[in-house]
Amino acid sequence: MASSENQRLRLSFDLYTRNHIISAMLDAVRDKKPLKILDVGGYAGQLKMFLQPGDELHILDLRENKVGEENYHQGDICAAPFSDGVFDVVVSSDVYEHIPPCARERAFLEMLRISKGTVILGCPFDTPFVAEVEQRANEFFKVLVGQEHPWLREHIENGLPDPGYFEKLLENCDCTYTFIAHNNLLNWLLLQGFVFCAYATGMPEEKVNSIYALYNEHFDDLGDFLPLSYRRIYFISRLKNLPLLPSPIQKPLDARLLEKLWSDTLNLMHEQAVSVKKKEIASLLREFIESAFRSTPSLLLAGALQEIQKSSKAEAKVLYSRIEEKERELQDTLFKLAAIQSSLPFKILDRYNRLRQRLLPEGTQRYQFYRLCVKAGHIALDEGLPNMFRRAWRYFRKYGFKNVSAPADYNHMYQLWIEKNEPKPSDFSRLREEATSLSYRPRISIVMPVYNVDEVWLRKAIESVRNQIYPHWELCIADDGSTRPHIRKVLEEYRQQEDRIKVTYLPHNQGISVASNTALALATGEFVGLLDHDDELAPWALLEIVKLLNQNPDLDFIYSDEDKLELDGRRSEPFFKPDFSPDLLMSMNYICHFSVFRRSLLNQIGGFRKGFEGSQDYDIILRVSEQTCKIAHIPKVLYHWRKIPGSASGSTSAKSYAHKAAVRALEEALERRKLRGKVTILAPGRYRIQYEIADELLVSIIIPTKDKVELLRRCIESIREKTTYRKYEIIVVDNGSKESTTIQYLRRIENYGNCRVVVFNQPFNYSRMNNFAVTQARGDYLVFLNNDTEVITPEWLEEMVEHAQRKEVGAVGTKLLFPDNTIQHDGVIVGLGGVAGHAFYGLPANDSGYMDLATVTRNCSAVTAACLMLRRAVFEEVGGFDEELDVAYNDVDLCLRIIQRGYYIVWTPYAVLYHHESATRGQYQPERNIRYFCEKWRDFLDRGDPFYNPNLALDRSDFMVRV
């Protein structure tokens, strides 16, 4: 027993303390019976040392079992390979903070699912000063080792879990909980610095263990439980009454023991630093500790330590109160903005602008004349009519009528964006210094197949690589049997000038796929970027790629925004793309340029495939995205696609063989993914996937209503007359109708074989009404439908079911039109107008929208519940509508919670309905709903909608450049 305790005391200080606390929590659960326990992330199995005889320990970890542990399972807690309730207790003491924020809720729910109701979860939470102290420790490690500490860097990138959000999650899961906070921050910083110093200097093991044993044996005497702690360990149970846990012993600090710990630790570090000639180590650590808490060297004294903690806590309160004040000011501004947008004058102005856009489209002569009249009116009001006439006369004498300046069009706005957002040549020296300071500097191989390109464009392409600010690159060129003599001459010239340029020649033309693979065979870089022989990279392109890799070195695939290059060198037609959108990718190759892949992954999938010429990039992107989810998007224009006559950039109808190859690439993608479907070409480069419906299951169409019988009648009759999907039921939720005609109609439709009326006799609450209706529904699929809608496309339900049946899809939305055939809903953009708004609102129904996004299936962050389908299982998994949102934003909230669970939201343009918007209830958006939504989703609003590029405007719905 003594030897076992000695073995435990030799553990690292934080391993010992947290496992000691967890063992006490387990003792409170076991009730004199052995426990079956799962340790999530317990790779090395240290928890076993703290268990009772008879306990059965299982381990779940992403890493392979190389430590010989029994009952070891390799897997991901987000998809735990266990059945429900198989473990008495699930323990996770050092995993939660390493899980990406978007997956944390799912990870916890999995822990809860596979337990019998008890979870012990510990990690550093985002409590006062924890992030700051981690940053200090990371800086110290970087000084010692020359690079950031991998798990501290991961904490900083992911952001530590928010305890308030976590506890709200526990409450939503009907869990009771308590927690123990330990690892006082000052002690943690001292000992973590000691651990880093020992690692960096090769400190003898017995010296390291002497410090561990000193702390582990007396951690409660040394203030481990004092306020401002590094770690919280939550004891979580679905039992209403928590088992009685032993309280941490709040012993008074043993000042002499504390001074011994600090002096022994710093002396050991100093001795080791001297032995390896790094005298600055101990002093650096002391500086970090002191500056972290604005303290003095007297912190070795117990009384000073307590005073520092008190003052730090007071400072934290002041800081948080200031932050809350600023947040309140921001929210008040958002509420005022939303109130303005809900006001009658704003609605009139909005209608006027939509009418003006239809009658006076930008770029036309009549719009130019309109703008001239507006400008003249301003001059007349400000300076008087005489001055307005004088200035107009001078202008027309100088410029004439044909030179009336039009308002800024999209490309003009883009020029302003370039001026405002992109580096200038004067910034390049600073960027080069930034490139040299990066801790991770992988080589990037640029693969460029060449065939009979004009010399001027070939030189520009090569020079764009040579001009890269980031120096660790190589250019791998394969000439595909070019017949024009200047090709070999230019390539040989550059090969002799630059060691980083590699060239190989194919004996005859074999196609771009073979040439690309030949160039790829020359590559030695860890990553591979693709460049066409007539295009150009921005000088900072590779720097941006590597900066992102320094933040997340595990990425396998990175892509950027792009634009077009006119023949005269002008940049135009920027494509500001969304983050990874799998359904948009199946509709069009929106990723295209600039694409950078991990070379080992390209080799794993076999590189480019012959027979897909013209769409070889599309094919490889589809195959790569099936092998990894480590995909990132850089919202910056890093690639310039030259518009040469006959090229795909100059015209989407060029290279018709490429579109046939794209269809084949999509068909094979469906086959690899074990999906049945049909691929149709909508337009050059734009495709529609029609998935085969596996089972025609019952669809419950839920329609809330109150009076306004003419709306309800039109809605129901359009469903009955036009819908071609056979298995559906209609559930009308009557919220207190009083008009006799409505009551008569409700009685009549109950005689329809597939229509029922349920009564909701409570004050209007859209969320509660629909939650109630779901309990009355029998369908496997749920459709939430407004009573002021009208079906246009007969296959609307088939189109929604084909997406809703896919396991990765959480909800499906449709295209909604106003009766005047303008767009009401083409997906929701979260953040538009300060809260959320509809994409392409008010544009003509036949307008294809920005980059044709209004005509293809794509992913959104949310869709409107005026017509929304989802599987019943998904609805129940997320807990239905949030009843706090009784009028507005309940659908957006539902979709965001669905996304949190790892599902995608799909918007389809092929299911179309009219929407006589809010004819029953109006467009009222209560301030309480706005405030609640903004507070609940503040983090999401701050980060921005992932399916809407941050370079696009948030004050208009037409995807205009944001300047």
Side-chain angles (χ1 to χ4, degrees):
M1 185 71 180
S3 62
S4 175
E5 177 62 17
N6 287 336
Q7 189 180 4
R8 288 200 296 262
L9 291 173
R10 291 162 64 91
L11 288 174
S12 173
F13 76 99
D14 58 336
L15 279 175
Y16 180 88
T17 51
R18 67 174 181 248
N19 282 310
H20 182 88
I21 293 167
I22 289 168
S23 68
M25 291 179 170
L26 291 172
D27 288 341
V29 178
R30 72 175 70 256
D31 193 25
K32 298 181 181 180
K33 296 179 182 177
L35 296 175
K36 184 176 181 181
I37 303 162
L38 176 69
D39 187 3
V40 179
Y43 174 73
Q46 291 102 340
L47 181 59
K48 184 187 297 183
M49 301 165 63
F50 294 80
L51 300 181
Q52 297 293 335
D55 287 343
E56 180 183 335
L57 179 65
H58 290 250
I59 295 171
L60 176 67
D61 202 289
L62 290 171
R63 293 165 286 190
E64 293 181 16
N65 183 14
K66 294 184 178 179
V67 292
E69 285 292 329
E70 297 179 4
N71 298 326
Y72 191 100
H73 312 270
Q74 185 178 2
D76 187 352
I77 187 55
C78 292
F82 307 108
S83 55
D84 295 357
V86 71
F87 299 102
D88 294 308
V89 184
V90 173
V91 175
S92 170
S93 63
D94 192 29
V95 169
Y96 200 63
E97 71 273 30
H98 296 285
I99 297 172
C102 61
R104 284 173 182 161
E105 184 173 340
R106 170 166 285 192
F108 172 72
L109 292 174
E110 282 288 272
M111 295 180 201
L112 200 59
R113 177 184 66 80
I114 61 179
S115 76
K116 290 180 180 176
T118 302
V119 173
I120 298 173
L121 187 148
C123 76
F125 283 84
D126 189 13
T127 49
F129 295 105
V130 172
E132 179 180 346
V133 173
E134 283 199 334
Q135 183 64 46
R136 300 286 177 183
N138 195 34
E139 291 170 2
F140 184 61
F141 186 85
K142 190 172 181 180
V143 170
L144 294 178
V145 180
Q147 63 184 23
E148 293 183 292
H149 194 281
W151 57 260
L152 284 174
R153 181 180 63 198
E154 193 169 73
H155 291 191
I156 294 166
E157 289 171 356
N158 281 342
L160 294 174
D162 174 40
Y165 183 87
F166 180 68
E167 290 173 5
K168 184 68 174 175
L169 170 62
L170 301 183
E171 292 167 5
N172 291 340
C173 296
D174 292 326
C175 292
T176 51
Y177 63 90
T178 186
F179 67 82
I180 292 176
H182 75 110
N183 278 165
N184 168 263
L185 283 179
L186 284 179
N187 287 347
W188 182 89
L189 187 57
L190 169 74
L191 294 173
Q192 199 62 59
F194 173 74
V195 172
F196 292 164
C197 176
Y199 165 77
T201 61
M203 187 180 293
E205 187 176 353
E206 63 273 10
K207 292 184 177 181
V208 177
N209 290 337
S210 69
I211 297 297
Y212 288 163
L214 174 61
Y215 191 82
N216 293 340
E217 193 170 3
H218 305 284
F219 67 89
D220 47 357
D221 296 302
L222 293 168
D224 191 79
F225 295 114
L226 282 176
L228 293 181
S229 301
Y230 178 70
R231 185 182 303 274
R232 285 185 178 188
I233 300 179
Y234 278 82
F235 183 90
I236 303 157
S237 176
R238 279 190 162 155
L239 301 174
K240 293 305 176 186
N241 296 314
L242 284 173
L244 184 63
L245 294 179
S247 300
I249 301 173
Q250 297 289 354
K251 290 185 178 180
L253 279 173
D254 187 327
R256 286 180 298 177
L257 192 60
L258 181 66
E259 186 167 357
K260 175 176 172 54
L261 171 72
W262 280 69
S263 59
D264 285 2
T265 303
L266 292 174
N267 285 339
L268 268 178
M269 293 175 67
H270 181 71
E271 291 172 9
Q272 191 68 17
V274 171
S275 69
V276 296
K277 300 181 180 179
K278 288 188 177 180
K279 297 181 180 179
E280 73 278 9
I281 290 176
S283 60
L284 276 173
L285 179 64
R286 190 188 297 271
E287 289 173 13
F288 286 144
I289 294 169
E290 291 172 6
S291 61
F293 291 91
R294 301 171 180 84
S295 182
T296 66
S298 64
L299 53 78
L300 291 180
L301 300 175
L305 176 62
Q306 291 175 321
E307 288 302 314
I308 290 165
Q309 289 165 338
K310 290 176 183 176
S311 63
S312 299
K313 199 169 184 179
E315 288 178 14
K317 288 182 178 178
V318 172
L319 178 62
Y320 276 99
S321 67
R322 288 176 182 170
I323 292 172
E324 288 175 357
E325 182 181 349
K326 293 298 181 185
E327 288 176 343
R328 283 195 296 272
E329 290 176 6
L330 175 61
Q331 290 304 316
D332 287 342
T333 302
L334 290 175
F335 301 147
K336 290 174 183 176
L337 176 62
I340 290 170
Q341 291 174 331
S342 299
S343 66
L344 181 61
F346 182 87
K347 291 175 183 176
I348 293 171
L349 182 61
D350 181 57
R351 292 286 180 178
Y352 161 74
N353 282 329
R354 288 204 284 136
L355 179 63
R356 195 269 304 157
Q357 288 172 3
R358 263 180 284 160
L359 299 178
L360 304 169
E362 295 181 10
T364 63
Q365 288 290 330
R366 60 180 181 273
Y367 183 77
Q368 295 179 35
F369 182 73
Y370 159 76
R371 291 294 296 172
L372 179 66
C373 292
V374 171
K375 186 174 181 179
H378 284 303
I379 296 171
L381 289 172
D382 294 339
E383 305 176 25
L385 280 172
N387 202 35
M388 184 269 288
F389 285 121
R390 280 194 295 271
R391 290 182 61 178
W393 177 246
R394 286 198 302 268
Y395 181 87
F396 288 119
R397 284 186 63 185
K398 185 173 182 179
Y399 297 109
F401 284 89
K402 292 184 179 180
N403 289 305
V404 176
S405 58
D409 62 7
Y410 201 94
N411 282 327
H412 176 71
M413 296 293 285
Y414 181 47
Q415 301 310 311
L416 297 177
W417 181 92
I418 292 171
E419 182 67 24
K420 179 180 178 181
N421 291 282
E422 291 193 341
K424 312 293 188 296
S426 58
D427 299 319
F428 287 5
S429 58
R430 174 183 56 81
L431 294 176
R432 289 191 180 92
E433 290 177 5
E434 186 178 355
T436 59
S437 69
L438 294 170
S439 58
Y440 176 41
R441 298 189 290 271
R443 178 182 296 167
I444 298 182
S445 301
I446 305 298
V447 166
M448 187 170 79
V450 171
Y451 181 71
N452 281 348
V453 63
D454 288 350
E455 180 175 347
V456 60
W457 310 135
L458 178 59
R459 288 187 179 276
K460 284 183 177 292
I462 295 173
E463 288 294 339
S464 77
V465 179
R466 295 187 73 195
N467 292 334
Q468 288 299 302
I469 292 168
Y470 180 75
H472 304 292
W473 56 263
E474 62 180 8
L475 176 58
C476 303
I477 302 173
D479 174 49
D480 191 21
S482 294
T483 57
R484 301 176 71 177
H486 67 265
I487 299 293
R488 183 179 287 265
K489 173 190 167 191
V490 171
L491 296 182
E492 287 301 313
E493 174 188 326
Y494 279 109
R495 178 159 65 172
Q496 292 173 14
Q497 292 176 6
E498 178 62 72
D499 292 339
R500 292 173 291 181
I501 294 179
K502 303 176 180 180
V503 183
T504 187
Y505 299 93
L506 295 172
H508 58 274
N509 181 249
Q510 299 180 52
I512 192 169
S513 296
V514 173
S516 297
N517 281 335
T518 304
L520 180 60
L522 300 174
T524 61
E526 192 173 347
F527 293 89
V528 171
L530 307 182
L531 175 65
D532 287 350
H533 60 192
D534 47 9
D535 297 339
E536 296 180 32
L537 295 177
W540 48 87
L542 298 187
L543 175 61
E544 290 294 339
I545 297 293
V546 177
K547 281 168 63 178
L548 181 57
L549 286 169
N550 271 262
Q551 297 170 18
N552 189 352
D554 293 332
L555 290 173
D556 291 323
F557 176 22
I558 301 169
Y559 67 94
S560 75
D561 297 339
E562 63 186 272
D563 64 11
K564 302 287 180 61
L565 271 178
E566 305 289 344
L567 292 181
D568 60 4
R570 286 182 298 111
R571 291 168 55 186
S572 63
E573 300 177 43
F575 189 2
F576 291 115
K577 308 169 187 177
D579 287 352
F580 185 64
S581 175
D583 285 280
L584 180 58
L585 183 60
M586 293 295 284
S587 300
M588 57 191 283
N589 182 12
Y590 80 96
I591 288 177
C592 206
H593 306 302
F594 177 43
S595 293
V596 175
F597 309 88
R598 190 176 292 276
R599 182 165 64 94
S600 59
L601 186 55
L602 288 187
N603 291 335
Q604 175 187 325
I605 66 171
F608 298 88
R609 296 198 293 172
K610 191 172 177 60
F612 291 87
E613 283 73 17
S615 289
Q616 73 286 340
D617 291 355
Y618 197 5
D619 175 61
I620 209 165
I621 288 169
L622 289 167
R623 289 186 289 132
V624 164
S625 65
E626 294 164 7
Q627 299 298 318
T628 181
C629 61
K630 297 173 182 177
I631 302 171
H633 164 227
I634 298 176
K636 297 183 179 182
V637 177
L638 305 184
Y639 193 98
H640 312 305
W641 196 3
R642 197 177 305 280
K643 292 173 65 174
I644 296 175
S647 73
S649 63
S651 169
T652 55
S653 61
K655 300 181 180 179
S656 59
Y657 64 88
H659 309 307
K660 295 178 181 178
V663 169
R664 183 180 163 203
L666 289 166
E667 289 174 341
E668 293 196 11
L670 291 174
E671 186 177 344
R672 287 191 302 272
R673 301 171 191 187
K674 296 181 170 48
L675 296 171
R676 292 176 174 269
K678 176 185 176 185
V679 182
T680 305
I681 300 178
L682 299 174
R686 305 293 183 259
Y687 310 95
R688 177 184 180 183
I689 310 295
Q690 291 175 277
Y691 295 93
E692 185 177 303
I693 295 175
D695 296 299
E696 195 173 90
L697 302 176
L698 181 64
V699 176
S700 295
I701 304 171
I702 296 169
I703 308 174
T705 194
K706 179 180 180 180
D707 291 320
K708 301 282 186 179
V709 68
E710 66 279 3
L711 295 176
L712 181 63
R713 181 184 290 110
R714 178 170 53 201
C715 175
I716 291 180
E717 298 311 318
S718 72
I719 296 171
R720 289 170 52 80
E721 292 171 7
K722 296 182 180 179
T723 302
T724 53
Y725 190 89
R726 292 171 298 175
K727 295 187 68 173
Y728 69 87
E729 64 173 0
I730 299 174
I731 300 174
V732 177
V733 190
D734 180 32
N735 188 210
S737 295
K738 296 179 180 179
E739 297 173 359
S740 59
T741 53
T742 303
I743 295 170
Q744 290 173 9
Y745 182 70
L746 292 177
R747 288 172 180 166
R748 180 157 65 89
I749 63 175
E750 285 197 302
N751 295 322
Y752 298 164
N754 60 350
C755 190
R756 288 183 287 138
V757 178
V758 298
V759 178
F760 182 78
N761 283 326
Q762 296 181 34
F764 175 78
N765 182 313
Y766 180 86
S767 297
R768 188 173 299 148
M769 195 183 312
N770 279 297
N771 288 343
F772 164 72
V774 170
T775 66
Q776 309 298 307
R778 297 190 293 260
D780 297 281
Y781 298 106
L782 306 172
V783 170
F784 299 101
L785 188 67
N786 278 18
N787 66 345
D788 55 358
T789 56
E790 179 184 356
V791 173
I792 298 176
T793 53
E795 302 84 9
W796 68 294
L797 281 184
E798 286 94 337
E799 178 62 27
M800 298 176 82
V801 168
E802 71 179 65
H803 294 292
Q805 70 180 347
R806 294 159 51 203
K807 63 181 181 181
E808 70 273 16
V809 174
V812 184
T814 64
K815 190 180 193 77
L816 299 179
L817 304 178
F818 288 115
D820 64 356
N821 285 313
T822 57
I823 295 170
Q824 188 266 331
H825 173 261
D826 269 14
V828 170
I829 300 168
V830 178
L832 190 67
V835 186
H838 300 299
F840 304 119
Y841 185 90
L843 293 183
N846 59 358
D847 194 314
S848 61
Y850 180 67
M851 294 297 172
D852 296 336
L853 294 181
T855 62
V856 295
T857 303
R858 69 182 198 277
N859 300 110
C860 301
S861 287
V863 290
T864 179
C867 183
L868 181 152
M869 175 184 281
L870 75 171
R871 298 191 299 279
R872 175 191 286 273
V874 174
F875 185 82
E876 292 173 347
E877 181 182 345
V878 301
F881 287 101
D882 186 339
E883 295 181 5
E884 290 292 326
L885 295 165
D886 54 341
V887 177
Y889 302 114
N890 34 56
D891 44 9
V892 182
D893 171 82
L894 176 71
C895 289
L896 293 183
R897 285 186 285 121
I898 289 171
I899 286 177
Q900 275 189 335
R901 297 298 180 103
Y903 298 105
Y904 284 101
I905 309 296
V906 173
W907 174 83
T908 171
Y910 312 116
V912 188
L913 296 86
Y914 282 126
H915 187 197
H916 307 267
E917 187 181 23
S918 304
T920 309
R921 296 280 175 180
Q923 291 187 330
Y924 174 56
Q925 295 176 340
E927 182 177 320
R928 67 180 181 277
N929 283 183
I930 299 170
R931 183 183 295 275
Y932 178 84
F933 178 87
C934 290
E935 288 177 355
K936 182 175 183 179
W937 295 105
R938 184 180 303 153
D939 289 346
F940 192 97
L941 289 166
D942 289 344
R943 289 194 304 271
D945 190 326
F947 299 107
Y948 188 72
N949 194 291
N951 296 301
L952 299 174
L954 285 171
D955 59 351
R956 51 194 294 172
S957 63
D958 59 353
F959 291 64
M960 177 55 78
V961 182
R962 184 180 191 174
V963 178

